[in-house]
Amino acid sequence: MSTELFAGKKPRRASSPLRAPFRADSAELRRQAANMLHAFAERLQNELARQGILPPPAIELWLDVQQQFCVRDNHPYADDILAVLETPSYYLHFKNLETLYELLECANSGALAQDSHLHIGLSSAGPVAFLCVRCDRSLAWRPRNRPSGKKGSG
C-alpha cells in the first residue's frame, strides 16, 4: 500500500507552491525501518558488550519530553546505558528511526496520535520498536538524574 505525501516546496519561477505527490511504499518503509533498527541495536549492543552489559534483562529506551534518553528504571545498568547513549550519533540515529516509524504509522492508519514517540526494546532475541503515547507526563516522564561528564564512544 502506498500513501501520498505532498511537498510544499515553491519553485523559483512559479508563484504558487508545487503540490506534487510523493509516493511512499509501506513495504519499502518497513524494510528501511527494520534495517535501521537492526543497525542501531547491533551498534548499541556491541558497545554495551564491551562494557560487560548483556541482556537479559531486556533494555527499553525512549526520548522524554526534553529529548533526553530514558531507560526503564528497573534496569540494573540504566545509568551505564544512558552514558553510552549520550553521544549525538545515537540521538540522530534514534530520531531517524522515530521518523520512519511515524511515516509507517501514517501510511498504515492515515494518522499519527498526538504525543506519540518511539520506544526501542533490546533483548537477546533481537530488537523491537513501537510507538507509544505519553499518558501522564507528571508521573511517567520525569527527567532522570544522570551522571554528568561521562561520554560513550560513537
Side-chain angles (χ1 to χ4, degrees), residues 2 11 17 21 27 33 48 69 79 83 87 93 99 110 112 123 136 152:
S2 66
L48 294 173
F69 275 109
D79 290 335
T87 62
H93 198 158
T99 300
L112 183 63
S123 71
D136 184 1

Side-chain angles (χ1 to χ4, degrees), residues 47-59:
E47 180 71 27
L48 294 173
R50 284 193 289 271
Q51 297 182 24
I53 303 170
L54 298 169
I59 300 165

Side-chain angles (χ1 to χ4, degrees), residues 35-91:
N35 288 342
M36 190 177 285
L37 174 62
H38 284 283
F40 180 90
E42 184 177 348
R43 179 178 167 218
L44 181 56
Q45 286 179 318
N46 286 339
E47 180 71 27
L48 294 173
R50 284 193 289 271
Q51 297 182 24
I53 303 170
L54 298 169
I59 300 165
E60 182 182 355
L61 56 104
W62 66 94
L63 293 173
D64 65 12
V65 294
Q66 287 85 25
Q67 298 298 294
Q68 298 293 315
F69 275 109
C70 295
V71 174
R72 184 64 58 203
D73 286 336
N74 62 354
H75 197 284
Y77 298 105
D79 290 335
D80 296 323
I81 295 165
L82 288 170
V84 170
L85 290 168
E86 285 182 353
T87 62
S89 60
Y90 277 112
Y91 176 80

Side-chain angles (χ1 to χ4, degrees), residues 2-143:
S2 66
T3 185
E4 286 188 20
L5 302 174
F6 292 94
K9 185 176 179 183
K10 187 174 182 178
R12 290 182 184 172
R13 294 183 188 173
S15 59
S16 63
L18 177 65
R19 304 276 308 164
F22 171 75
R23 299 210 182 266
D25 183 11
S26 292
E28 179 61 20
L29 284 175
R30 220 177 351 269
R31 185 189 65 72
Q32 288 176 1
N35 288 342
M36 190 177 285
L37 174 62
H38 284 283
F40 180 90
E42 184 177 348
R43 179 178 167 218
L44 181 56
Q45 286 179 318
N46 286 339
E47 180 71 27
L48 294 173
R50 284 193 289 271
Q51 297 182 24
I53 303 170
L54 298 169
I59 300 165
E60 182 182 355
L61 56 104
W62 66 94
L63 293 173
D64 65 12
V65 294
Q66 287 85 25
Q67 298 298 294
Q68 298 293 315
F69 275 109
C70 295
V71 174
R72 184 64 58 203
D73 286 336
N74 62 354
H75 197 284
Y77 298 105
D79 290 335
D80 296 323
I81 295 165
L82 288 170
V84 170
L85 290 168
E86 285 182 353
T87 62
S89 60
Y90 277 112
Y91 176 80
L92 292 173
H93 198 158
F94 189 93
K95 291 303 284 184
N96 285 332
L97 270 167
E98 187 172 53
T99 300
L100 277 174
Y101 277 89
E102 288 172 350
L103 285 171
L104 273 171
E105 180 66 19
C106 288
N108 292 332
S109 68
L112 183 63
Q114 186 176 2
D115 289 334
S116 67
H117 64 286
L118 184 67
H119 278 237
I120 293 180
L122 304 174
S123 71
S124 55
V128 62
F130 56 95
L131 291 174
C132 188
V133 175
R134 289 180 176 90
C135 55
D136 184 1
R137 293 182 185 163
S138 64
L139 298 174
W141 309 109
R142 292 186 311 254

